Amino acid sequence: MVEQSLVEQVSVQEKILAFTFDDGPHPVYTHQVLEIFRRAGGHATFFMIGKEMEAYPDIAAEVHREGHEIANHTYTHPNLTELTLEEAGEELRQAERLVQEVTGNAARSFRPPYFGVNDDILALAAERGYRTIGAVNGGAQDWDNPGVEHILEHTRSVVKPGSVLIFHDGYGDRSQTVEAVRVLVEELTAEGYRMVTVSELLRMAE
């Protein structure tokens, strides 16, 4: 049985962490994020919305081709706790089908939009074989465009080995996020961190 809790941090022996990006793929910002990780030689996990994958299948395919992980962020981005369990299951199922079309495999991780979960949603995700993924730097609130310095400050203060970090590459202007991620990736790489996918991070957890 898959563990039923929101994973934000795991215990690891080495300096690794997982950058994650929600709400893409996006024709501008996803490419910019890919370029940052290409230069750093790291990988990230993209929690993609099914409808955006339908709109930009080539970008989703490029993310996969470059060795990044694609994970489930539902089909239309609703708050799942406001739906019936059947509707919530359908949101997961439709997104799952699209991830499978792009990658050839089922997604292993799921992030609920707005972190909207309860015991029923956690159980539903676990039944479908998902680990439900949170993040340690929710205070960065990059989705609100609070400024590059705010994003940096509220991420630097919580980063440690085994952290999962949340950012957004879709829906709206994400230039602040991209700039903050560029700085963070350079800093963390210089500190000896490796950027891995969520699945790799979970595999290496003690």
Side-chain angles (χ1 to χ4, degrees):
M1 186 64 178
V2 176
E3 196 181 318
Q4 291 183 34
S5 61
L6 208 56
V7 180
E8 301 177 344
Q9 177 93 39
V10 298
S11 176
V12 291
Q13 289 290 353
E14 53 183 295
K15 288 177 101 170
I16 55 173
L17 47 75
F19 275 76
T20 68
F21 295 90
D22 287 14
D23 297 356
H26 186 280
V28 176
Y29 303 111
T30 304
H31 285 304
Q32 293 177 353
V33 169
L34 288 176
E35 181 57 29
I36 291 168
F37 281 85
R38 212 177 282 135
R39 285 194 187 144
H43 290 107
T45 298
F46 291 78
F47 287 89
M48 293 188 179
I49 298 172
K51 272 193 164 312
E52 300 304 307
M53 292 181 75
E54 284 179 334
Y56 306 108
D58 294 354
I59 302 172
E62 184 183 355
V63 169
H64 173 64
R65 207 166 44 242
E66 298 208 4
H68 303 285
E69 180 172 16
I70 298 179
N72 194 325
H73 197 44
T74 71
Y75 182 66
T76 65
H77 202 271
N79 186 330
L80 294 176
T81 61
E82 295 170 3
L83 306 182
T84 66
L85 265 186
E86 198 175 335
E87 289 166 339
E90 192 53 32
E91 281 283 337
L92 287 177
R93 237 187 330 272
Q94 289 196 55
E96 200 171 277
R97 175 178 57 78
L98 290 157
V99 173
Q100 205 139 13
E101 279 175 17
V102 170
T103 68
N105 296 300
R108 290 194 286 273
S109 298
F110 152 70
R111 177 174 283 142
Y114 317 106
F115 294 126
V117 285
N118 52 29
D119 289 345
D120 285 344
I121 298 301
L122 286 169
L124 177 72
E127 274 166 32
R128 302 192 73 81
Y130 290 121
R131 296 296 295 273
T132 303
I133 307 299
V136 297
N137 67 326
Q141 295 181 315
D142 80 302
W143 55 86
D144 272 343
N145 288 326
V148 174
E149 280 311 313
H150 179 99
I151 298 170
L152 289 171
E153 186 187 322
H154 287 80
T155 302
R156 286 175 182 138
S157 62
V158 292
V159 163
K160 59 181 188 181
S163 295
V164 178
L165 304 177
I166 183 173
F167 301 99
H168 292 70
D169 64 330
Y171 273 138
D173 178 358
R174 294 295 168 220
S175 47
Q176 289 182 11
T177 294
V178 170
E179 187 48 40
V181 167
R182 183 176 287 119
V183 172
L184 286 164
V185 167
E186 281 176 14
E187 287 179 355
L188 291 165
T189 303
E191 286 173 32
Y193 274 95
R194 257 186 341 112
M195 326 291 160
V196 300
T197 65
V198 166
S199 286
E200 285 177 90
L201 190 69
L202 293 173
R203 265 202 306 277
M204 296 173 82
E206 293 174 316

